[in-house]
Structure formats: C-alpha cells, structure tokens
Amino acid sequence: MNSDDIERVRQGWAVAAADPEALTTAFYGHLFRIDPTSRALFGEDMAAQRGKLALTLDFIMGVLDDTDTLVPAARDLARRHVGYGLRPDQYSHAGAALIHALEDQLGTAFGAEDRAAWERVYGALEAVILDTISET
C-alpha cells in the first residue's frame, strides 16, 4: 500500500461514507452470499453491527498513513475476531464482500485502479490480521 493507494481509497471512502447504511447493508448481503456460514457469527441486531462496521472503516481511513496507530488497531481487531469465532479464510470473504459493496455504492466511479488500490490496502491489513492470528 502506497500513498497513491491511500489517497484513492480515501477518496472512494468519502463518497461511500455518505450513505454508510447502504454500504454496510450491501457488505453484509455480499458476505452472507459469499460465505453463508458467516451469518452464524452475528446476532439478530444487524443495525448495530452495520454501525460498528461503518465506524471501524471510518477509523481505518483516518489512520491509513499512520502505521503506528493502524497496525496495533488491526492486531487488536484480529484478536477480538478470533474470540468471535472467525476463521482465517473468512477474511478473504470479507474483502471480496467489501469490494462488491463498493462497486454497488460507487458504480462507474469505482474503476479498475480504484478496485486495485482497495485490494492492496485491504490485503495489507489482512496480512497483519492473519499474522496476528497465527501468533495466537
């Protein structure tokens, strides 16, 4: 992930975050389609879960260029998710669901370069998370 990726991701997020309900609803819809077993990890109150996801994504966007904050936060997130029962393979499902949700939200404004930047940024975070999980 480089500064161009960070800028591109932040620009996309600024648009997508204008309607966090639509983005997070699409995310979970795609996630449960990609990985139906993931539905069991969540309670009935998906509104609260969608709110948590929007806040987490917003936080991440704010610290993408601050690895001293981002990496420990990603490691903490990984540890919490282990406690919730997430499997390591489910992080790739979440990444795919996020990309699909962004495509839904941003439409033609989400081009190939945008997608590639989001995939690199998500991949960097996923690597930190999976490394943390392997240590536990």
Side-chain angles (χ1 to χ4, degrees):
M1 140 172 100
N2 59 46
S3 60
D4 291 338
D5 288 342
I6 291 170
E7 181 60 26
R8 186 173 290 276
V9 165
R10 282 181 169 159
Q11 287 174 355
W13 175 250
V15 176
D19 190 353
E21 180 70 20
L23 178 71
T24 57
T25 297
F27 168 83
Y28 285 109
H30 288 295
L31 180 62
F32 299 155
R33 179 185 50 77
I34 293 166
D35 180 8
T37 66
S38 67
R39 180 62 184 97
L41 298 169
F42 301 94
E44 293 301 314
D45 187 3
M46 288 305 296
Q49 187 62 40
R50 288 189 302 272
K52 289 177 189 177
L53 175 60
L55 288 173
T56 298
L57 289 171
D58 198 53
F59 169 79
I60 289 169
M61 292 304 121
V63 298
L64 276 177
D65 52 359
D66 177 4
T67 56
D68 290 340
T69 301
L70 180 61
V71 170
R75 293 176 66 80
D76 288 344
L77 181 70
R79 289 183 196 102
R80 285 194 313 274
H81 283 161
V82 167
Y84 302 147
L86 261 71
R87 299 183 320 265
D89 66 302
Q90 290 176 307
Y91 288 94
S92 65
H93 302 158
L98 179 59
I99 295 298
H100 289 306
L102 288 162
E103 289 171 336
D104 292 348
Q105 190 80 358
L106 302 176
T108 58
F110 191 70
E113 291 179 19
D114 301 299
R115 180 187 182 106
W118 276 90
E119 287 173 343
R120 284 188 292 272
V121 167
Y122 185 86
L125 288 170
E126 183 181 23
V128 170
I129 289 169
L130 294 176
D131 184 54
T132 302
I133 290 169
S134 71
E135 294 172 1
T136 59

